Amino acid sequence: MMKALLSILLIVVVALVVGDLALRSFAEDRMADAVEAALEIPADAEVSVDAFPFVVSTFKGRYQGVTVEAEDVGEGSVHLSRLQLEFSDVEFSLSNLLSGDERRVRLGAGEGEALVRERDLNRALRSEGISARVDLQPSGAVEVESTDGSLSGAADVSLEGSSLVVSPEADIPSFSLDLPVFGTDMSYDSVDVRGSTARLGVSVGETVAEF
């Protein structure tokens, strides 16, 4: 009798685990669709859901958070090698999503990081016809050199809205590059150079996604 009960319990546990994994996969696919639609990310985003217990959170229609990662995104001259965003307080109606009557997900405010590689910055400079080359140092310093090699020197990097501004100390004019913006309420808040990569702090306001 005890052996039969243990067998039944094992079957129930396995069924719950399989069901949980299947439901998580379904939810993450739907969230990926919603985020890509809301932010107009032109790439397949990877989405992970923060929820425990997952099944209960899904039926309640509320997750603690959602993390979105996408690589090589952006239209125009500057491409982001990686974009990561973490949204809090994600709400939805499971019944509406399943029935297809209303495919809407509310994403709370999000924040994260965008990476721009040195080679992508220099590719953008060539594309824009700017006669300079940027060298991002391992120390975090930034060097700028004119394309003919006649001028070079240290430079400051800053943000003005959605533009990355490079201000050389040498007799090289300052220049700016427009960064890609996704959605209607995304902003760049900070910039930090580490190695050959510029790391940009990103924030996104509360978003309602429909897909």
Side-chain angles (χ1 to χ4, degrees), residues 7-208:
S7 297
I8 293 172
L9 180 60
L10 179 59
I11 292 172
V12 171
V13 170
V14 171
L16 289 174
V17 171
V18 172
D20 184 90
L21 292 174
L23 183 59
R24 181 180 289 271
S25 178
F26 171 80
E28 289 178 345
D29 285 344
R30 298 286 74 74
M31 288 298 161
D33 291 341
V35 172
E36 288 177 9
L39 300 183
E40 300 176 356
I41 297 176
D44 292 331
E46 294 186 4
V47 174
S48 58
V49 176
D50 178 17
F52 183 82
F54 188 80
V55 173
V56 175
S57 298
T58 299
F59 279 97
K60 285 184 176 180
R62 186 182 182 92
Y63 295 144
Q64 289 96 325
V66 167
T67 300
V68 181
E69 295 185 11
E71 296 184 353
D72 191 24
V73 294
E75 297 180 350
S77 59
V78 178
H79 275 236
L80 307 178
S81 62
R82 183 168 175 266
L83 174 66
Q84 179 179 19
L85 295 170
E86 296 182 359
F87 293 93
S88 60
D89 298 328
V90 179
E91 297 179 348
F92 57 93
S93 168
L94 180 61
S95 61
N96 287 343
L97 290 181
L98 292 174
S99 66
D101 292 338
E102 180 185 61
R103 298 195 169 195
R104 178 178 297 177
V105 176
R106 188 190 69 80
L107 304 168
E111 58 182 18
E113 184 178 64
L115 305 183
V116 183
R117 294 170 297 199
E118 176 188 292
R119 65 186 185 188
D120 292 324
L121 285 176
N122 286 315
R123 185 181 297 116
L125 291 177
R126 292 192 297 271
S127 174
E128 296 292 327
I130 297 174
S131 301
R133 181 184 181 281
V134 173
D135 184 11
L136 305 182
Q137 303 285 327
S139 63
V142 179
E143 298 283 335
V144 175
E145 182 180 20
S146 60
T147 51
D148 61 7
S150 61
L151 297 171
S152 64
D156 293 325
V157 178
S158 60
L159 292 168
E160 288 186 6
S162 59
S163 296
L164 183 68
V165 180
V166 181
S167 304
E169 296 177 1
D171 293 331
I172 301 175
S174 298
F175 53 85
S176 64
L177 293 169
D178 292 334
L179 299 167
V181 176
F182 306 103
T184 58
D185 196 19
M186 173 178 168
S187 62
Y188 292 95
D189 308 315
S190 63
V191 57
D192 180 30
V193 175
R194 300 180 197 174
S196 60
T197 302
R199 297 175 179 266
L200 310 171
V202 180
S203 61
V204 182
E206 183 176 305
T207 303
V208 176

